[in-house]
Amino acid sequence: MKKFNIGIIGATGMVGQRFALLLENHPWFNVTTLAASANSAGKSYKDAVGNRWAMKDKMPEKFADMMVLDAKKDIEKIVANVDFVFCAVNMKKDEIKALEETYAKHECPVISNNSAHRHTADVPMIIPEINADHAEVIKYQRERLGTKRGFIAVKSNCSLQSYVPALYPLDKFGVDKVLVCTYQAISGAGKTFERWPEMIDNVIPYIGGEEEKSEKEPLKIWGKIENGVIVDSDSPKFTAQCLRVPVSDGHMAAVYVSFKNKPSKEEILDAWKEFKGEPQDLELPLAPKQFLNYYTEDDMPQTKLTRDNEKGMAVSIGRLREDSQYDYKFVCVSHNTLRGAAGGAVLLAELLCAKGYMD
């Protein structure tokens, strides 16, 4: 695979910092550009981030002295130096939509961590192991935008990455109804315990907009391309509650599921064990070898113990058992800033590069 020059838009935020760490020594991607808001523009990366570095690992030295550009005003300069960009900006939704479309119309593909375009009908929202075929809608998006190379592709909400991958392989049994309760880490809000002491010894039973995303976004992932757009599926039916818990990283989901054709427990376990997607077939750099990992211990998976499996790109599952109201229930864990955010976006970019969309 050839080397691609890439930019990180929104490089100073928590997800942008995670991108920086993931891309420091990536075999395919060479970071040539860092961009952020006007407040950070013109400063070195280390000065722009200042005391807001939130990662456990140190800031990569190769980026520390790199000059940060203005994500809006310096678009011409940015697109001249990159093959595509990762976008993780903190702006109003309409502003994000406009910014990402501007990059795309400058013939610069955008791999977005933001939610703004997740429900734009011709923008693919891809979990690479599950709905890689949705990339085919890009040709129709390019027609709408009037571009040859430029397009936008997005990753789904971070909490979906814990439970949708466990449900999708079971769709052959007719997944009918799903109830999910997510227990989400504070890094999902871009926070650390130092910045959010109110979260210590506390649970907050509300995350703005999260339950709507948890119920609607899976239907786009399950959807099909028709007449140049992705049409949401009308099933399965999802209902969700989302809670913020005092955990640094890692989202947990308690899942209850009913089927049209109830499988045996052994059939479910086999489906999880055997499941793989295009990232595994293509041996993409960030792809976990075993995507879904089942634990037989009664007290597993635990967030702290399993979130870093396969460099934070795997999903951990446990406690599969029959339920008195639904057919089955189980628990899942994934790393929200790796598989759920920057890592999922990098894997998506790897997939699209391997399939020729960045050429």
Side-chain angles (χ1 to χ4, degrees):
M1 180 63 66
K2 72 173 187 179
K3 278 272 192 177
F4 294 86
N5 290 330
I6 64 101
I8 305 171
I9 311 301
T12 57
M14 181 174 279
V15 175
Q17 294 172 23
R18 179 66 75 181
F19 273 124
L21 288 175
L22 282 172
L23 297 169
E24 178 184 9
N25 297 305
H26 194 280
W28 296 0
F29 304 152
N30 174 44
V31 178
T32 60
T33 304
L34 301 174
S37 69
N39 292 333
S40 298
K43 300 176 182 177
S44 67
Y45 187 50
K46 64 183 177 183
D47 288 340
V49 173
N51 62 3
R52 294 181 294 115
W53 184 256
M55 301 291 105
K56 295 173 184 175
D57 295 325
K58 292 182 179 179
M59 178 184 290
E61 290 185 11
K62 64 192 295 183
F63 302 144
D65 294 321
M66 189 178 289
M67 191 70 67
V68 177
L69 300 181
D70 188 314
K72 288 184 176 180
K73 293 182 179 179
D74 293 328
I75 286 180
E76 297 281 354
K77 185 175 181 179
I78 292 168
V79 301
N81 290 309
V82 301
D83 294 305
F84 66 91
V85 297
F86 293 103
C87 190
V89 295
N90 182 16
M91 299 163 58
K92 294 179 180 178
K93 188 167 290 190
D94 288 344
E95 293 177 348
I96 295 173
K97 278 188 173 183
L99 182 70
E100 292 181 344
E101 284 209 357
T102 300
Y103 275 90
K105 288 178 179 179
H106 277 74
E107 299 295 356
C108 179
V110 177
I111 308 300
S112 178
N113 187 75
N114 304 300
S115 65
H117 273 293
R118 285 182 193 157
H119 292 290
T120 302
D122 59 7
V123 171
M125 180 175 66
I126 295 175
I127 298 177
E129 285 86 353
I130 292 175
N131 61 329
D133 61 308
H134 281 195
E136 294 171 15
V137 82
I138 288 172
K139 63 183 178 183
Y140 301 106
Q141 184 194 149
R142 282 171 167 162
E143 289 176 6
R144 174 176 65 85
L145 296 175
T147 62
K148 293 182 179 180
R149 285 192 74 249
F151 67 87
I152 302 162
V154 301
K155 52 154 287 299
S156 69
N157 187 42
C158 54
S159 65
L160 268 67
Q161 311 283 336
S162 60
Y163 61 90
V164 168
L167 290 166
Y168 199 83
L170 309 181
D171 197 46
K172 59 186 176 182
F173 307 115
V175 177
D176 186 31
K177 293 188 300 181
V178 179
L179 183 155
V180 60
C181 296
T182 61
Y183 305 88
Q184 301 184 206
I186 64 172
S187 57
K191 303 284 189 178
T192 63
F193 286 117
E194 289 76 18
R195 296 186 206 163
W196 201 4
E198 296 83 2
M199 272 306 306
I200 297 173
D201 194 29
N202 195 20
V203 172
I204 298 176
Y206 174 72
I207 305 172
E210 200 74 6
E211 289 163 1
E212 181 181 17
K213 295 173 187 175
S214 299
E215 294 172 356
K216 290 186 176 181
E217 288 187 20
L219 300 180
K220 184 170 183 178
I221 293 167
W222 252 271
K224 303 293 182 184
I225 298 174
E226 298 178 11
N227 300 316
V229 297
I230 299 169
V231 178
D232 291 359
S233 175
D234 57 8
S235 65
K237 303 295 184 185
F238 284 84
T239 185
Q241 287 203 100
C242 302
L243 293 76
R244 188 73 71 192
V245 296
V247 170
S248 58
D249 294 301
H251 289 352
M252 178 176 283
V255 183
Y256 301 76
V257 57
S258 290
F259 298 92
K260 295 175 183 176
N261 302 295
K262 183 180 176 181
S264 67
K265 182 177 178 180
E266 289 71 26
E267 287 176 314
I268 293 175
L269 293 175
D270 285 344
W272 285 338
K273 183 178 180 179
E274 295 169 3
F275 184 71
K276 63 178 182 176
E278 287 196 44
Q280 286 72 38
D281 291 338
L282 294 169
E283 298 183 347
L284 300 178
L286 218 58
K289 288 183 172 59
Q290 182 63 40
F291 182 30
L292 306 179
N293 299 265
Y294 186 78
Y295 290 81
T296 58
E297 299 90 340
D298 289 339
D299 62 349
M300 293 291 280
Q302 294 180 23
T303 306
K304 188 175 182 179
L305 299 182
T306 64
R307 63 191 173 198
D308 291 319
N309 282 354
E310 300 258 15
K311 299 180 179 179
M313 293 299 290
V315 175
S316 302
I317 313 171
R319 303 205 68 210
L320 174 65
R321 58 218 191 276
E322 293 197 47
D323 183 65
S324 60
Q325 297 182 43
Y326 287 72
D327 288 332
Y328 288 97
K329 53 190 171 187
F330 55 87
V331 175
C332 304
V333 170
S334 67
H335 197 301
N336 58 298
T337 70
L338 287 168
R339 167 55 73 165
V346 172
L347 185 61
L348 171 54
E350 292 173 355
L351 175 72
L352 295 177
C353 286
K355 292 169 77 72
Y357 285 94
M358 303 302 192
D359 293 343

